[in-house]
Amino acid sequence: MSHSDSLRSRIRSEWPLLVLAVSFFTRIPVKVKQEVTEETLNKASRYFALVGLLVGGISALVFVVCSSFLPYSISVIFAMFTSVLLTGAFHEDGWADVWDGFGGGWTVEQKLSIMKDSRLGTYGASALFFLLIAKYQSLMVIESVAFALILGHTLSRVVATSLIADMPYVQEDAKSKVKPLAQVLSSESYFILIMTGVLVLVGAMFLGFLSFYQLMQLVVVLAVIRWLMIKWFTQQLGGYTGDCLGAAQQLSEVIIYLFLVVTAYGSTVVEVNS
């Protein structure tokens, strides 16, 4: 088999996994031809960060288009709304559920029961409010919102998905889950996941959006946040659930935006609009 034939064969085998990842984490209408099982979803996890790149890219495009005829602040809102619309608030729901469960439950069983309740509690509502405010205010003072959205959505999914490799799936949750969830991250999938993040970071550096020093700082910050989340989820549940991964994505995304602000990458709203 020639190199080109081998490449085409690999693309044909990988394409359904990418489509599955898109269908699972977005509301984008794609046709999944294969059966959705734990095995196929485990393999599709390698493309979760690529889905983040897609969501971030579309949100960034919406911001660029809107900012050509709308005020900066309204354009930011439309960009945020686009990401929520694309994902069906999938990750935001996980963030709220985690805070409801961890804040209102005493035992693992109680926490899981609360997290599966479709109703939104005080802890979850408060956490979701502060999360959205933090996103909005951060994006308002970042000079390149489009770049921030692409970086934030991609790297946050690298961090969240990588937790699968280092944490056990909560067995109590496995017994009552209503849809499949990636539970295994193979070495090949882990490599593809990490390389997606690396390529986005390197691209940002070469385009002048990040310096090498900022790049290394961001990697360290995300590594620390990842370690803290592992400690937190382990202490609360003894492992992770789908909601935990959603919460990890949301927290990582906000941290990335805040990092860009703290490292003086951003400018004030007055400067942006002057």
Side-chain angles (χ1 to χ4, degrees):
M1 181 182 293
S2 66
H3 178 71
S4 59
D5 290 337
S6 178
L7 180 60
R8 282 195 292 269
S9 177
R10 182 60 186 269
I11 292 175
R12 282 196 296 268
S13 65
E14 293 295 316
W15 179 255
L17 298 178
L18 175 58
V19 172
L20 176 57
V22 172
S23 70
F24 191 79
F25 281 112
T26 75
R27 295 296 179 89
I28 297 174
V30 293
K31 187 175 182 180
V32 179
K33 297 182 179 180
Q34 62 180 357
E35 182 184 0
V36 181
T37 64
E38 288 188 6
E39 181 182 1
T40 56
L41 192 55
N42 285 336
K43 291 181 179 179
S45 62
R46 66 188 63 178
Y47 295 119
F48 290 172
L50 199 56
V51 173
L53 178 60
L54 175 64
V55 172
I58 295 175
S59 300
L61 180 61
V62 169
F63 172 79
V64 171
V65 172
C66 289
S67 61
S68 64
F69 60 90
L70 288 173
Y72 196 88
S73 57
I74 297 178
S75 299
V76 168
I77 291 176
F78 271 109
M80 290 177 59
F81 176 70
T82 297
S83 68
V84 173
L85 191 64
L86 285 172
T87 62
F90 191 68
H91 306 294
E92 286 83 359
D93 180 65
W95 169 264
D97 285 343
V98 161
W99 282 99
D100 270 337
F102 290 6
W106 290 96
T107 66
V108 172
E109 291 75 17
Q110 288 176 341
K111 291 171 184 177
L112 290 173
S113 177
I114 294 172
M115 289 164 68
K116 291 182 180 298
D117 193 327
S118 60
R119 293 170 295 183
L120 182 62
T122 303
Y123 284 108
S126 300
L128 189 58
F129 170 79
F130 286 116
L131 174 83
L132 295 175
I133 287 295
K135 282 187 185 182
Y136 175 75
Q137 291 294 345
S138 297
L139 290 171
M140 277 296 295
V141 297
I142 293 175
E143 185 177 3
S144 179
V145 172
F147 154 69
L149 288 167
I150 292 173
L151 194 69
H153 280 283
T154 305
L155 295 185
S156 62
R157 284 165 175 80
V158 172
V159 174
T161 307
S162 71
L163 296 181
I164 299 173
D166 296 318
M167 296 186 71
Y169 183 57
V170 179
Q171 292 304 309
E172 290 86 346
D173 187 63
K175 296 174 183 177
S176 58
K177 66 181 181 179
V178 295
K179 57 186 175 183
L181 174 69
Q183 300 179 34
V184 178
L185 192 65
S186 67
S187 56
E188 181 184 15
S189 294
Y190 207 162
F191 177 77
I192 294 174
L193 179 75
I194 296 298
M195 285 307 300
T196 304
V198 169
L199 289 175
V200 169
L201 280 171
V202 172
M205 185 179 67
F206 277 102
L207 289 173
F209 293 118
L210 282 178
S211 68
F212 178 75
Y213 182 61
Q214 284 177 307
L215 185 154
M216 295 307 297
Q217 281 182 314
L218 179 56
V219 169
V220 171
V221 168
L222 291 179
V224 172
I225 293 299
R226 180 180 182 276
W227 178 78
L228 290 173
M229 286 190 293
I230 290 176
K231 295 295 241 183
W232 187 35
F233 296 149
T234 300
Q235 180 187 41
Q236 293 289 332
L237 297 176
Y240 76 92
T241 67
D243 286 331
C244 291
L245 297 184
Q249 185 278 320
Q250 288 293 292
L251 179 59
S252 300
E253 184 185 342
V254 170
I255 291 297
I256 291 167
Y257 298 152
L258 291 174
F259 170 84
L260 294 175
V261 175
V262 171
T263 56
Y265 179 85
S267 59
T268 64
V269 177
V270 175
E271 290 170 340
V272 168
N273 292 303
S274 61

